[in-house]
Each structure stands twice: as structure tokens, then as C-alpha cells.
Amino acid sequence: MNTMKWLLRREFWEHKGGFVWAPLIAALIMVVLVGGVLGYGVASGKMGGDSISIQVDGEEVHNTSLAKALTAEKRAEVANVAANNYIAVGAPIFVVLPVVAFFYCLAALYDDRRDRSILFWKSLPISDTDTVLSKLVTVLVVAPLITIGMATAAALAIWFLGALGASQLGISLFGPVLTNVNFYLAPLYLVAMLPVYILWALPTAGWLLLVSSWAKSKVFLWAVGVPLMAAVLLKWLDYLLGMTGGVTINADWIINNVLEAILLGLVPGTWFMEAGSALPQPGANGVPLLPMLTYSWSTLAKPELWAGVVAGVAMIAGAIRLRRWRDEG
């Protein structure tokens, strides 16, 4: 356990730029841009001035202020939406996670061989299993938790600026939002989705670590080029079989369920892509997070998820075995 702790610390400090600074910079840019827009709108009187034209319950209201136009019921709805969905403002930060995680996995085992530092690490009483698993935990647990923290902080900052701007217009959101329990549960819902994310991301992480432990060069081309070439060949074979009137191999199903799993698994929320009508729809209080969490956990009943988990574990085991003997630069 102590060895794993120090290995995780090593990974964190060596890759702090990607795991910490990248989402932090994205969060700061979002807060500054949104704060600037809100500040300019309030200062210039272009947001909620005394001569706006809006619709309230389908009726046009001219030359009034936003504070006067919003009824008590509408204010309560706005507060509920803010409390339930303020965390969604931080969604752009989650775009950083799959990019950082993808290239981290590609370099995780390859860089040690390229700069020959693997000889130093092999001289220490650290097993290859511990080394590979520390990188897996870093990319599937540590990095998402950091991203969730950054996204939550950015969303809170933007919400605070928005509530402050609304108060300048005579609309108080602090009391109704801060007394809403969902305001505090929203970040916990994201953390509760983390085990689901780990399982869906395991095939991609396993594939990238396997390539990182095997490829002598051009790691990105091997990791991305092989699946894409396989997709092209499968489509071509499917086309030829269809022309001869034979039974096709259903290339589209293979591409959607296999190739996408090993390339897109690190993207948060991929399990929502095929949800369709099962996905909770927005209501008066915005998008309900608890039903989304429930749906996320319900995907554990899908056989393709566990098939991907088995494949991911097998590829991670292959990466561990390859690291035991592949130490060339």
C-alpha cells in the first residue's frame, strides 16, 4: 500500500501539468469570460434594464425590468434550475479530461523505455504490476476526481457571479439556492458516477497502455491507426460480402461496440450516447441529476460493458507482461 501511494505521488508530480494545470486554466478562462460578460451587461444596463421586452407565460411585457416581470413562481423556478443544474456550467472542463488521459496513457509506458529510465525503475523493489496499476489508477481515478473538483469550483464561481449580477437587478437567488439540498448534492452525483466511468473507460485505458508497452515508435499511429484501419477493412469486407449476396459480418455493429469502446471510452458520459428515450428529459427544474445517476448505474446490466471490462483487464495484463521484458529504447 505504501509503495502504491508513492507511485501515485510520482505520477501526479510528473504529470501535474496535464492533470491540474490544464483543467485549472480552462476553469479560469471560463470564469473570466463569463464574469466579464456579466459585468459588462450589468454595468451597461443591457441586462435587465428598465426598457426590455420579454415574454412571461406567453404574454409580451414591454418596457419593464426583469425583476418586475418575474413572478414569485418564476423566481422559484429559476432558483430551482440554478440549484439543480449549476454544475452543468463546468461541463466544458470535462472536455480536457479525455485529451489529457488519452495522451497520458500513450506515454505512460513508452516514455520509460524511450529515455531508458525503465532501467532505473526496474532496479528498485517495485513490481511491474504495481507500476502499471499505479498509472491505471492515476488516469481512471485521480485525474477524474481532480477534473470534478475543478469543474465544481468553476461552476460555483460562475454561479456566484451570476447570482451577484441578478441581485443587482433586484432578483435574489442566494437564499432559495443555498437552501436547496440539490445544490450540495450535485457534485456528489458526479462522484457517484465515477465507478461507472471507470468500467466504461477500462477498454480504452487497457488498449492504450498495451500499445504504450509494446510500440517501439509512432505510438499514436499504432493506437489510433490500427482501429481505424480495422474499421475500413471491415466495411470493405462487409461491402464485398453484400455484393456476392452472402451473409455480412455486420461491420457497423463491430465498429460501434468494439472500435468505439477502445478509442472513446475515456470520454465521460459515453454511456448516454445510446440512451434515447431512457435518458431523463429536462423539466421545469432543468435536467434531473438523480435520474441520470440512476440510469448510469443501470448500464451495468449491459453485457457489452462487461465484455469491455474483460477485454480491458486482459490488455492491462498484457501490458504488465510486456513491460517485464521490453526495455529497449
Side-chain angles (χ1 to χ4, degrees):
M1 181 62 70
N2 198 43
T3 299
M4 181 59 67
K5 180 181 72 174
W6 283 106
L7 286 173
L8 292 175
R9 286 187 177 182
R10 170 210 172 191
E11 296 299 324
F12 175 79
W13 287 110
E14 287 188 354
H15 302 277
K16 187 166 63 173
F19 293 142
V20 177
W21 290 110
L24 178 59
I25 292 173
L28 290 176
I29 291 174
M30 286 178 55
V31 173
V32 170
L33 287 178
V34 174
V37 171
L38 290 174
Y40 172 76
V42 173
S44 63
K46 294 183 178 180
M47 292 179 60
D50 292 329
S51 59
I52 62 172
S53 296
I54 61 174
Q55 282 191 349
V56 178
D57 293 330
E59 297 182 3
E60 194 81 15
V61 180
H62 296 281
N63 298 323
T64 185
S65 66
L66 187 60
K68 294 177 181 178
L70 288 179
T71 63
E73 182 181 351
K74 290 296 179 182
R75 293 189 185 209
E77 288 185 11
V78 171
N80 283 331
V81 171
N84 283 281
N85 298 120
Y86 77 94
I87 200 72
V89 178
I93 298 177
F94 286 95
V95 177
V96 178
L97 174 61
V99 177
V100 172
F102 188 91
F103 287 100
Y104 167 80
C105 287
L106 280 182
L109 302 175
Y110 171 72
D111 283 353
D112 285 352
R113 291 184 292 112
R114 184 182 60 178
D115 60 17
R116 307 292 289 177
S117 62
I118 190 174
L119 300 177
F120 168 75
W121 292 108
K122 281 183 173 290
S123 68
L124 300 177
I126 301 174
S127 68
D128 296 300
T129 301
D130 287 341
T131 300
V132 175
L133 290 182
S134 69
K135 297 176 184 297
L136 188 67
V137 172
T138 298
V139 75
L140 295 185
V141 180
V142 177
L145 285 175
I146 293 174
T147 303
I148 290 173
M150 296 290 183
T152 302
L156 285 171
I158 292 173
W159 170 84
F160 177 79
L161 293 174
L164 198 62
S167 66
Q168 299 300 313
L169 305 176
I171 303 172
S172 177
L173 294 177
F174 287 101
V177 173
L178 293 177
T179 54
N180 192 316
V181 66
N182 287 323
F183 180 79
Y184 306 97
L185 291 177
L188 299 181
Y189 289 146
L190 294 181
V191 176
M193 291 184 189
L194 182 57
V196 181
Y197 171 76
I198 293 173
L199 294 175
W200 281 102
L202 203 56
T204 301
W207 166 251
L208 296 177
L209 289 174
L210 180 65
V211 174
S212 181
S213 66
W214 170 79
K216 295 183 179 180
S217 63
K218 309 296 188 296
V219 188
F220 179 82
L221 291 180
W222 282 110
V224 178
V226 170
L228 293 181
M229 182 61 68
V232 172
L233 292 175
L234 287 171
K235 292 290 289 185
W236 177 70
L237 181 59
D238 217 16
Y239 173 74
L240 292 180
L241 292 174
M243 288 184 62
T244 59
V247 179
T248 62
I249 60 174
N250 199 354
D252 290 334
W253 184 91
I254 297 175
I255 292 172
N256 292 334
N257 291 276
V258 179
L259 298 183
E260 287 185 5
I262 65 175
L263 289 180
L264 301 179
L266 292 172
V267 179
T270 52
W271 55 90
F272 292 123
M273 294 174 61
E274 298 181 1
S277 59
L279 191 66
Q281 300 301 313
N285 295 329
V287 179
L289 293 181
L290 183 57
M292 292 186 69
L293 175 62
T294 303
Y295 173 80
S296 298
W297 278 91
S298 71
T299 61
L300 269 61
K302 294 186 175 183
E304 57 267 30
L305 167 63
W306 295 106
V309 169
V310 172
V313 171
M315 288 185 285
I316 292 167
I320 294 173
R321 287 188 61 87
L322 282 171
R323 192 179 185 275
R324 288 175 181 170
W325 59 269
R326 199 165 188 125
D327 59 355
E328 75 278 3

